[in-house]
């Protein structure tokens, strides 16, 4: 199963923020792709277009090379799992899970067998007779997954599957989604606004902003080698230094810095992830003054000013213990962690 | 004022009205239906009034007619109201106009509607004359009798016309309270439009539909003015027969009228209880 979006556009006259514009995307078979972006980026619209709950203004959506646009939602073989589970309140959990099979007219005994199997798989064994109002948030969400997976869909869409759960449940649910995906081999597309969720779960990440697809890559790549300042910022990037790359060096107000090989020459923005910035006792690459220190638990965030350039470092708490606002420290910017982004187009 | 007395005080006016007028009236009626009316010299309660009416063919015919009127009006109005409510939920040109007409209908009294029906569909009404003008009937009185007819079609038409908007508005409010995702979720799970309606929307609407149609049934079963205006002479609807009992010159007919009123109340209560337990399966209750 391969899903492909070709130059899909859908805009709303009454809501300029949530449309999608010229999105092209391919979902690799049997993998989990995260459709990531801030709210209003058009993620949910994209998902509803794929599910058939909306029709695009232009462009095409293909499943295994065939356009699915003429098909109504129930004929696409694509199941959408909504953010708030939405189990039908007038049915038991087992009846909910059996719903799609019943609609397909499957014999009762086979339905019952597959429902029981699926309840086992999502660890809801024995809860089949419960009503939705008798289930916890995590159980509802797992019920919704079971209700979708029991249909053996060609593609399963998850709309913010973790956001309605509290923190303790999220990790369990994350593991379960991973496990279910491996156990069934289903192709998954998950919408989320949480980059850590996307990085932890997805094989591929498609980043959307303001209706456009910004970058599509593996989590490692999109995290370490973003293709724009916007992408880097979305993944928690904080250090951006305008200048130009020239023969393996980056020339900026911090002086020349040696770049890793393979960076193109020309104007650009140098970035380094805050956790890659090192604080050293010597002079380092540059001396900087601490402007703010914030203990975050497992890390401490140190804001610095080096020759008028603001930098942020995330370091182990003991490394930052002796620092306080106003103190001076050496900053090392390791070559392997440097990455040059294209200079933003002049507006 | 303590937290416990406050709600009681707030409820007091409603309780006085309900208790005073409803239960006292019902109690008084019950006592009199047992032929206990000392002012008339009846001072030993008995069941003779019940026995008399249950043995009379006219009472049973009236009961049957009233049940038919109530059931047919309720079923027709409910089905049409369901369609109207589902339609009004969509957006289409003319939606506002239909919504306005539906609500306008609520403001017209039953009696006015009944007179309108009389002018339109009786054998001397506009439709009969139109049919005559068009050569469909030889004389206007050949037009099929739709008022004062044994099947009570005019009465049922009036109730359907009047109660449809009432049920539709209640259903529309219920529809708007259904979380919008449920129907989309059902679609995505492979249910077609009709399956969604049958397995998701209707069950979620059932509490509202039962409440609204129960009110309509109880009203159509017990109301007096429409059958009086549009009903046949025999059999007459139960409320009409009851009222004639009350207004009979011979006061000894009173206990029978009270007994009929008690039976109307009892039949309504039993039917509505059965309906609620049948149409609202345990799982649909909150």
């Amino acid at each position: 199963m391969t899903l492909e979006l070709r130059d899909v556009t859908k805009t709303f006259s009454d809501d300029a923020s949530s449309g999608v514009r010229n999105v092209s995307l391919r979902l690799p078979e049997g993998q989990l792709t995260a459709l990531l972006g801030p709210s209003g980026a058009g993620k949910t619209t994209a998902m509803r277009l794929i599910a058939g709950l909306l029709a695009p203004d232009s462009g095409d959506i293909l499943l295994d090379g065939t356009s699915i646009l003429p098909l109504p939602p129930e004929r696409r073989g694509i199941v959408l799992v909504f953010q708030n589970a939405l189990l039908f309140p007038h049915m038991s959990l087992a009846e909910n899970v059996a719903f799609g099979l019943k609609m397909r007219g499957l014999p009762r005994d086979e339905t019952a067998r597959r429902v029981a199997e699926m309840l086992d798989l999502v660890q809801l064994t024995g809860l089949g007779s419960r009503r939705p109002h008798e289930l916890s948030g995590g159980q509802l969400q797992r019920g919704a997954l079971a209700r979708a997976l029991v249909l053996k869909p060609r593609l399963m869409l998850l709309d913010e599957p973790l956001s309605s759960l509290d923190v303790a449940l999220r990790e369990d649910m994350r593991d379960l989604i991973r496990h279910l995906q491996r156990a069934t081999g289903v192709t998954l597309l998950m919408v989320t606004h949480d980059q850590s969720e996307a990085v932890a779960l997805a094989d591929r990440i498609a980043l959307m902003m303001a209706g456009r697809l910004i970058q599509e890559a593996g989590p490692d790549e999109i995290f370490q080698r973003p293709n724009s300042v916007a992408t880097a910022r979305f993944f928690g990037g904080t250090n951006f230094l305008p200048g130009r790359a020239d023969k393996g060096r980056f020339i900026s107000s911090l002086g020349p810095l040696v770049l890793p090989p393979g960076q193109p020459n020309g104007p650009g923005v140098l970035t380094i992830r805050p956790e890659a910035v090192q604080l050293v006792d010597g002079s380092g690459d540059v001396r900087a003054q601490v402007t703010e220190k914030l203990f975050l638990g497992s890390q401490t965030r140190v804001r610095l000013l080096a020759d008028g350039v603001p930098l942020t470092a995330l370091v182990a708490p003991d490394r930052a213990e002796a620092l306080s606002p106003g103190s001076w420290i050496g900053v090392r910017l390791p070559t392997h962690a440097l990455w040059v982004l294209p200079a933003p187009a002049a507006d | 004022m303590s937290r416990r007395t406050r709600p009681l005080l707030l409820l007091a006016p409603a309780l006085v009205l309900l208790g005073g007028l409803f239960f006292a009236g019902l109690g008084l009626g019950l006592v009199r239906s047992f032929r206990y009316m000392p002012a008339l010299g009846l001072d030993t309660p008995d069941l003779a009034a019940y026995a008399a009416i249950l043995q009379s063919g006219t009472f049973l015919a009236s009961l049957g007619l009233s049940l038919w009127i109530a059931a047919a009006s309720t079923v027709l109005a409910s089905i049409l109201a369901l369609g109207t409510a589902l339609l009004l939920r969509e957006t289409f040109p003319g939606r506002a106009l239909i919504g306005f007409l539906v609500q306008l209908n609520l403001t017209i009294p039953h009696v006015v509607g009944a007179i309108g029906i009389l002018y339109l569909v009786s054998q001397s009404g506009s439709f009969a004359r139109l049919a005559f003008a068009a050569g469909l009937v030889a004389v206007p009185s050949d037009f099929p009798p739709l008022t004062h007819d044994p099947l009570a079609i005019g009465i049922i038409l009036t109730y359907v016309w009047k109660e449809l908007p009432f049920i539709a508005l209640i259903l529309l409010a219920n529809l708007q309270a259904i979380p919008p995702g449920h129907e989309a979720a059902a679609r995505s799970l492979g249910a077609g439009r009709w399956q969604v309606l049958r397995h998701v929307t209707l069950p979620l609407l059932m509490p509202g539909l039962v409440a609204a149609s129960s009110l309509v049934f109880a009203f159509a079963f017990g109301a007096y003015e429409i059958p009086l205006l549009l009903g046949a002479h025999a059999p007459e609807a139960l409320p009409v027969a009851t009222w004639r009992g009350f207004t009979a010159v011979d006061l000894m007919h009173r206990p029978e009228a009270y007994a009929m009123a008690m039976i109307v109340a009892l039949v309504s209560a039993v039917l509505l209880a059965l309906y609620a337990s049948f149409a609202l399966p345990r799982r649909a209750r909150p």
Side-chain angles (χ1 to χ4, degrees):
Chain A
M1 185 327 295
T2 335
L3 180 91
E4 191 183 346
L5 275 68
R6 276 192 201 154
D7 208 20
V8 171
T9 296
K10 171 77 187 177
T11 52
F12 301 99
S13 53
D14 55 338
D15 182 5
S17 71
S18 61
V20 299
R21 282 167 199 83
N22 305 101
V23 169
S24 293
L25 176 67
R26 267 179 90 93
L27 299 191
E29 175 159 10
Q31 296 205 358
L32 199 167
T33 304
L35 194 55
L36 177 67
S39 62
K43 310 178 299 279
T44 300
T45 302
M47 183 164 273
R48 294 181 148 257
L49 287 167
I50 297 169
L53 300 171
L54 286 174
D57 301 334
S58 64
D60 204 352
I61 302 174
L62 304 111
L63 209 52
D64 288 331
T66 315
S67 175
I68 54 169
L69 289 184
L71 298 178
E74 67 271 19
R75 301 262 312 278
R76 294 191 174 191
I78 298 174
V79 180
L80 174 53
V81 177
F82 288 82
Q83 182 174 358
N84 32 3
L86 289 173
L87 290 191
F88 305 126
H90 57 290
M91 297 179 196
S92 70
L93 174 62
E95 286 169 314
N96 265 284
V97 177
F99 181 81
L101 297 176
K102 189 174 160 190
M103 295 305 108
R104 280 162 176 67
L106 218 71
R108 271 164 192 272
D109 48 346
E110 196 189 340
T111 301
R113 187 179 56 74
R114 278 171 69 175
V115 167
E117 235 174 64
M118 198 45 70
L119 288 178
D120 288 347
L121 191 62
V122 298
Q123 297 148 31
L124 292 174
T125 313
L127 299 182
S129 58
R130 297 259 183 104
R131 303 275 151 201
H133 67 90
E134 298 169 318
L135 298 171
S136 71
Q139 289 169 335
L140 287 173
Q141 199 57 256
R142 278 186 274 159
L145 284 176
R147 184 171 72 168
L149 274 175
V150 77
L151 300 173
K152 301 186 175 144
R154 302 158 89 180
L155 169 67
M156 189 156 120
L157 309 173
L158 304 177
D159 189 4
E160 302 268 4
L162 307 182
S163 65
S164 64
L165 303 176
D166 52 50
V167 181
L169 277 172
R170 271 185 208 187
E171 210 130 319
D172 288 351
M173 195 64 190
R174 203 145 75 179
D175 293 346
L176 182 73
I177 291 176
R178 253 294 172 222
H179 169 71
L180 291 174
Q181 202 263 322
R182 296 221 172 96
T184 60
V186 64
T187 306
L188 273 176
L189 178 67
M190 173 180 91
V191 157
T192 178
H193 64 271
D194 182 342
Q195 50 98 1
S196 65
E197 202 173 295
V199 170
L201 256 172
D203 300 305
R204 305 286 294 172
I205 294 177
L207 179 67
M208 279 187 78
M209 281 183 187
R212 293 183 187 280
L213 188 67
I214 303 286
Q215 186 170 7
E216 198 262 316
D220 197 52
E221 188 185 342
I222 206 167
F223 199 79
Q224 302 293 347
R225 298 191 290 283
N227 67 355
S228 65
V229 173
T231 307
R233 271 192 206 286
F234 192 79
F235 281 90
T238 46
N239 302 315
F240 300 100
L241 186 59
R244 56 181 293 116
D246 189 21
K247 293 173 195 142
R249 285 164 183 275
F250 192 83
I251 319 297
S252 73
S253 50
L254 293 184
L257 290 161
V258 177
L259 289 172
Q263 303 279 348
N265 288 339
V269 175
L270 184 77
T271 189
I272 178 168
R273 292 208 51 88
E275 59 272 18
V277 175
Q278 295 172 7
L279 304 183
V280 294
D281 292 327
S283 61
D285 293 311
V286 62
R287 295 283 291 171
Q289 193 173 23
V290 175
T291 55
E292 186 199 293
K293 190 175 96 172
L294 185 65
F295 177 59
L296 297 173
S298 55
Q299 285 178 312
T300 295
R301 191 182 71 195
V302 183
R303 290 200 197 280
L304 305 146
L305 205 57
D307 289 342
V309 177
L311 290 173
T312 306
L314 279 171
V315 297
D318 57 345
R319 172 65 262 195
E321 213 167 346
L323 298 176
S324 56
S327 51
W328 285 85
I329 183 101
V331 175
R332 244 179 66 66
L333 306 169
T335 296
H336 68 86
L338 299 182
W339 179 251
V340 180
L341 301 163
D347 291 305
Chain B
M1 203 181 318
S2 86
R3 295 170 67 97
R4 298 185 62 150
T5 54
R6 196 184 159 92
L8 277 180
L9 274 173
L10 289 171
L11 277 173
L15 284 177
V16 167
L17 266 176
L18 254 184
L21 295 178
F22 180 70
F23 287 110
L26 199 68
L28 197 64
L30 194 65
V31 167
R32 292 192 173 161
S33 74
F34 291 136
R35 288 171 38 96
Y36 182 73
M37 295 169 82
L40 300 181
L42 300 171
D43 46 14
T44 1
D46 60 30
L47 291 170
Y50 287 93
I53 59 167
L54 287 175
Q55 277 160 19
S56 90
T58 55
F59 169 77
L60 291 178
S62 292
L63 179 65
L65 179 70
S66 281
L67 284 175
W68 156 249
I69 291 172
S73 312
T74 307
V75 169
L76 279 175
S78 296
I79 292 171
L80 294 174
L82 188 65
T84 307
L86 291 171
L87 189 71
L88 283 177
R89 193 169 57 148
E90 310 288 325
T91 38
F92 59 91
R95 186 190 165 282
L97 179 69
I98 294 184
F100 172 73
L101 288 177
V102 163
Q103 290 183 47
L104 181 71
N105 203 349
L106 287 173
T107 62
I108 301 172
H110 276 89
V111 175
V112 176
I115 293 168
I117 294 277
L118 207 55
Y119 277 133
L120 285 175
V121 306
S122 74
Q123 280 171 319
S124 57
S126 312
F127 287 165
R129 275 177 279 153
L130 279 176
F132 171 65
L136 295 174
V137 292
V139 283
S141 59
D142 278 358
F143 192 72
L146 298 179
T147 57
H148 310 103
D149 57 314
L151 282 176
I153 289 171
I155 300 173
I156 293 168
L157 270 180
T158 310
Y159 282 139
V160 170
W161 160 81
K162 178 68 187 165
E163 312 307 343
L164 186 161
F166 168 73
I167 304 180
L169 282 182
I170 290 181
L171 288 182
L172 200 58
N174 272 260
L175 273 174
Q176 278 151 3
I178 296 178
H182 281 305
E183 287 168 317
R187 285 304 290 282
S188 138
L189 289 167
R193 284 180 178 281
W194 285 107
Q195 288 179 310
V196 173
L197 181 66
R198 159 81 184 75
H199 295 283
V200 178
T201 314
L202 266 186
L204 291 175
L205 277 183
M206 220 45 197
L209 185 60
V210 168
S213 59
S214 296
L215 289 175
V216 167
F217 182 90
F219 179 79
F221 185 64
Y224 159 81
E225 70 233 69
I226 308 298
L228 181 75
L229 284 170
L230 299 178
H233 288 293
E236 48 191 1
L238 206 48
V240 179
T242 307
W243 180 247
R244 270 202 318 100
F246 278 117
T247 49
V249 182
D250 181 357
L251 290 182
M252 298 308 267
H253 278 304
R254 283 277 175 97
E256 289 179 17
Y258 279 115
M260 280 193 237
M262 288 303 117
I263 289 173
V264 170
L266 184 71
V267 168
S268 294
V270 169
L271 284 177
L272 292 180
L274 281 177
Y275 178 38
S277 68
F278 161 76
L280 294 182
R282 184 168 297 270
R283 63 193 184 196
R285 289 180 196 153

